Amino acid sequence: MKEKTQKVVAALMISADGKILLAKCKPLPSVAYGKAWIIPGGVVDGGETNEEALQREVFEETGIDISINTRLELVVEGDKDNVVRVNKNGEQILCHIEFYTYKITLPRNSKEYSLADTEELINLTWFEPHELQNLEHAKPSRNLFKKVGMPGF
């Protein structure tokens, strides 16, 4: 099996009214975390800074522009996970992922953001923090919620 290392940025997005944005990945063979609820994010492309990749990924996956009037705080630096992905040719690849997760405080209430399915994510939904414990999460998200003190983690 081939192996590769990927640097990934992720966004714990919190609206002004305290809700957290989660989504599900479209069911594709390359998806690492299956049916779990995830936070937006993705791979840092060559030549990008983490912050540039974060802005690009959040906009591509949610339609929300975080380049203005938002507060970014790095909350996870260098957490690691290993997942098997399937590329377009059907080959399995063991990906060694290094996560950089940012807490993003948005300037508006959750109802003020228009959410729709994107090329990569579906079911974009705002949740109250206490609702998170009843959902299925990817391992990195569970670790993140525990680190930031979310109820029930």
Side-chain angles (χ1 to χ4, degrees), residues 8-12 39 50 73-80 97-103 140-148:
V8 170
V9 291
L12 176 60
I39 60 175
N50 286 0
E73 174 189 351
L74 182 62
V75 292
V76 173
E77 184 173 8
D79 271 7
K80 294 179 177 23
I97 302 173
E98 188 172 297
F99 288 96
Y100 295 84
T101 305
Y102 293 79
K103 178 180 170 185
S141 293
R142 285 193 312 272
N143 293 343
L144 168 66
F145 296 148
K146 186 175 183 176
K147 279 185 180 185
V148 299

Side-chain angles (χ1 to χ4, degrees), residues 44-115:
V44 177
D45 291 338
E48 280 185 315
T49 66
N50 286 0
E51 292 78 12
E52 289 168 340
L54 187 70
Q55 288 177 8
R56 177 184 51 76
E57 286 288 346
V58 166
F59 188 75
E60 288 174 2
E61 294 185 349
T62 70
I64 297 173
D65 181 357
I66 62 166
S67 66
I68 54 171
N69 295 327
T70 56
R71 195 174 78 235
L72 303 180
E73 174 189 351
L74 182 62
V75 292
V76 173
E77 184 173 8
D79 271 7
K80 294 179 177 23
D81 195 18
N82 295 311
V83 296
V84 176
R85 292 191 171 160
V86 179
N87 69 14
K88 293 176 185 174
N89 300 326
E91 293 177 286
Q92 289 188 338
I93 300 171
L94 176 60
C95 296
H96 305 286
I97 302 173
E98 188 172 297
F99 288 96
Y100 295 84
T101 305
Y102 293 79
K103 178 180 170 185
I104 300 173
T105 305
L106 297 168
R108 301 189 326 237
N109 290 334
S110 56
K111 290 181 181 177
E112 296 178 56
Y113 292 96
S114 176
L115 302 176

